[in-house]
Coordinates of all heavy atoms in Angstrom, one line a residue:
Chain A
D14 N 123.8 78.1 73.0 CA 122.5 77.5 72.6 C 121.3 78.5 72.9 O 120.6 78.4 73.8 CB 122.3 76.2 73.4 CG 121.0 75.6 73.2 OD1 120.3 75.9 72.3 OD2 120.5 75.0 74.2
T15 N 121.2 79.4 71.9 CA 120.1 80.4 72.1 C 118.7 79.8 71.9 O 117.8 80.4 72.2 CB 120.3 81.5 71.1 OG1 120.3 81.1 69.8 CG2 121.6 82.3 71.4
Q16 N 118.7 78.7 71.2 CA 117.4 78.1 71.0 C 116.8 77.2 72.0 O 115.7 76.8 72.1 CB 117.4 77.3 69.6 CG 117.7 78.1 68.5 CD 116.7 79.2 68.3 OE1 115.5 79.1 68.3 NE2 117.2 80.5 68.0
S17 N 117.7 76.7 72.9 CA 117.5 75.7 74.0 C 117.0 74.4 73.2 O 116.4 73.5 73.8 CB 116.3 76.1 74.8 OG 116.8 76.9 75.9
L38 N 113.6 69.0 75.2 CA 112.7 70.1 75.5 C 111.9 70.4 74.2 O 110.6 70.6 74.2 CB 113.5 71.3 75.8 CG 112.8 72.5 76.4 CD1 112.0 72.2 77.6 CD2 113.7 73.7 76.6
G87 N 114.9 89.9 84.0 CA 114.9 88.4 83.7 C 114.8 87.6 85.0 O 114.4 86.4 84.9
T90 N 111.5 85.2 85.6 CA 111.2 83.9 85.1 C 112.6 83.1 84.9 O 112.5 81.9 84.9 CB 110.6 83.9 83.6 OG1 111.6 84.5 82.7 CG2 109.4 84.8 83.6
M91 N 113.7 83.8 84.8 CA 115.0 83.1 84.5 C 114.8 82.0 83.4 O 115.4 80.9 83.5 CB 115.6 82.5 85.8 CG 116.3 83.5 86.7 SD 117.4 84.6 85.7 CE 118.7 83.5 85.4
S92 N 114.0 82.4 82.5 CA 113.7 81.5 81.4 C 114.3 82.1 80.0 O 113.7 83.0 79.5 CB 112.2 81.2 81.2 OG 112.0 80.6 79.9
P93 N 115.4 81.5 79.6 CA 116.0 82.1 78.3 C 115.0 82.1 77.2 O 115.1 83.0 76.3 CB 117.1 81.1 78.1 CG 117.5 80.7 79.4 CD 116.2 80.5 80.2
Q94 N 114.1 81.2 77.2 CA 113.1 81.2 76.0 C 112.2 82.4 76.2 O 111.8 83.0 75.1 CB 112.2 79.8 76.1 CG 113.1 78.6 75.8 CD 112.5 77.4 76.3 OE1 112.6 77.1 77.4 NE2 111.7 76.6 75.5
L95 N 111.8 82.7 77.4 CA 111.0 83.9 77.6 C 111.8 85.2 77.3 O 111.3 86.2 76.8 CB 110.2 83.9 79.0 CG 109.2 82.8 79.1 CD1 108.7 82.9 80.5 CD2 108.1 82.8 78.0
F96 N 113.1 85.1 77.8 CA 114.0 86.3 77.5 C 113.9 86.5 75.9 O 113.8 87.7 75.5 CB 115.4 86.0 77.9 CG 115.7 85.8 79.3 CD1 116.9 85.3 79.7 CD2 114.8 86.1 80.3 CE1 117.2 85.1 81.1 CE2 115.0 85.8 81.6 CZ 116.2 85.3 82.0
R97 N 114.0 85.5 75.2 CA 114.2 85.6 73.7 C 112.9 86.3 73.2 O 112.9 87.2 72.4 CB 114.4 84.3 73.1 CG 114.9 84.5 71.7 CD 115.3 83.1 71.0 NE 114.2 82.2 70.9 CZ 114.1 81.1 71.5 NH1 115.0 80.6 72.3 NH2 113.0 80.3 71.3
R98 N 111.8 85.8 73.8 CA 110.4 86.4 73.3 C 110.4 87.9 73.7 O 109.9 88.7 72.9 CB 109.4 85.6 74.1 CG 108.0 86.2 73.8 CD 106.9 85.5 74.7 NE 105.7 86.0 74.2 CZ 104.5 85.3 73.8 NH1 104.6 84.1 73.8 NH2 103.5 86.0 73.4
Q99 N 111.0 88.2 74.8 CA 111.0 89.6 75.2 C 111.8 90.5 74.3 O 111.6 91.6 73.9 CB 111.4 89.8 76.7 CG 110.3 89.1 77.6 CD 110.7 89.2 79.1 OE1 111.7 88.6 79.5 NE2 109.8 89.7 79.9
M100 N 113.0 89.9 73.9 CA 113.9 90.6 73.0 C 113.3 90.7 71.7 O 113.3 91.8 71.0 CB 115.2 89.8 72.9 CG 116.1 89.7 74.1 SD 116.4 91.3 75.0 CE 117.5 92.1 73.8
L107 N 118.5 93.2 78.7 CA 117.9 92.3 79.7 C 118.4 92.8 81.1 O 119.6 92.9 81.3 CB 118.4 90.9 79.5 CG 117.7 89.8 80.3 CD1 116.2 89.6 80.0 CD2 118.5 88.5 80.2
V117 N 124.0 83.2 83.2 CA 123.0 82.5 82.4 C 122.7 83.3 81.2 O 122.6 82.8 80.1 CB 121.6 82.3 83.2 CG1 120.5 81.8 82.3 CG2 121.9 81.3 84.4
A118 N 122.5 84.6 81.3 CA 122.1 85.5 80.2 C 123.2 85.6 79.2 O 123.0 85.5 78.0 CB 121.9 87.0 80.7
H120 N 125.4 83.1 78.7 CA 125.3 81.8 78.1 C 124.3 81.7 76.9 O 124.6 81.1 75.8 CB 125.0 80.7 79.1 CG 124.9 79.2 78.6 ND1 126.1 78.6 78.1 CD2 123.9 78.5 78.3 CE1 125.7 77.4 77.7 NE2 124.4 77.3 77.8
F121 N 123.2 82.5 77.1 CA 122.2 82.5 76.1 C 122.4 83.7 75.1 O 121.4 84.0 74.4 CB 120.8 82.4 76.7 CG 120.5 81.0 77.2 CD1 120.9 80.6 78.4 CD2 120.0 80.0 76.3 CE1 120.6 79.3 78.9 CE2 119.7 78.8 76.7 CZ 120.1 78.3 78.0
G122 N 123.5 84.2 75.1 CA 123.8 85.2 74.0 C 123.4 86.6 74.2 O 123.5 87.4 73.2
H123 N 123.1 87.0 75.4 CA 122.5 88.4 75.6 C 123.8 89.3 75.6 O 124.8 89.1 76.3 CB 121.8 88.5 76.9 CG 120.4 87.9 76.7 ND1 119.3 88.6 76.2 CD2 120.0 86.6 76.9 CE1 118.3 87.8 76.1 NE2 118.7 86.6 76.5
I439 N 108.8 75.4 78.7 CA 110.0 76.3 78.9 C 110.8 75.8 80.1 O 110.2 75.3 81.1 CB 109.6 77.7 79.0 CG1 108.8 77.9 80.3 CG2 108.9 78.3 77.9 CD1 109.1 79.3 80.9
E440 N 112.1 76.0 80.0 CA 113.0 75.7 81.2 C 113.4 77.0 81.9 O 113.3 78.1 81.4 CB 114.3 75.2 80.6 CG 114.4 73.7 80.3 CD 115.9 73.4 80.0 OE1 116.5 74.1 79.2 OE2 116.4 72.5 80.6
T441 N 113.7 76.8 83.2 CA 114.2 77.9 84.0 C 115.5 77.6 84.5 O 116.0 76.4 84.5 CB 113.3 78.2 85.2 OG1 113.4 77.0 86.1 CG2 111.8 78.4 84.9
Y442 N 116.3 78.7 84.7 CA 117.7 78.5 85.1 C 118.0 79.2 86.5 O 118.8 80.1 86.5 CB 118.6 79.1 84.0 CG 118.7 78.2 82.8 CD1 117.6 78.0 81.9 CD2 119.9 77.4 82.6 CE1 117.7 77.2 80.9 CE2 120.0 76.6 81.5 CZ 118.9 76.5 80.6 OH 118.9 75.6 79.6
F443 N 117.3 78.8 87.5 CA 117.5 79.5 88.8 C 118.7 78.8 89.5 O 119.1 77.6 89.3 CB 116.3 79.3 89.7 CG 115.2 80.1 89.2 CD1 114.1 79.7 88.5 CD2 115.2 81.5 89.5 CE1 113.1 80.4 88.0 CE2 114.1 82.3 89.1 CZ 113.1 81.8 88.3
Chain B
W37 N 126.3 77.2 85.0 CA 125.5 78.4 85.5 C 124.8 78.0 86.8 O 124.1 78.9 87.4 CB 124.4 78.7 84.4 CG 123.6 77.6 84.0 CD1 123.8 76.7 83.0 CD2 122.5 77.0 84.8 NE1 122.8 75.7 83.0 CE2 122.0 75.9 84.1 CE3 121.9 77.4 85.9 CZ2 120.9 75.2 84.6 CZ3 120.8 76.7 86.4 CH2 120.3 75.6 85.7

Side-chain angles (χ1 to χ4, degrees):
Chain A
D14 169 24
T15 57
Q16 298 301 315
S17 277
L38 192 61
T90 70
M91 280 312 290
S92 165
Q94 292 156 282
L95 295 178
F96 296 170
R97 199 173 64 241
R98 179 183 183 129
Q99 293 175 307
M100 296 310 290
L107 187 71
V117 172
H120 180 71
F121 284 90
H123 288 271
I439 67 146
E440 272 192 308
T441 66
Y442 285 73
F443 288 100
Chain B
W37 55 264

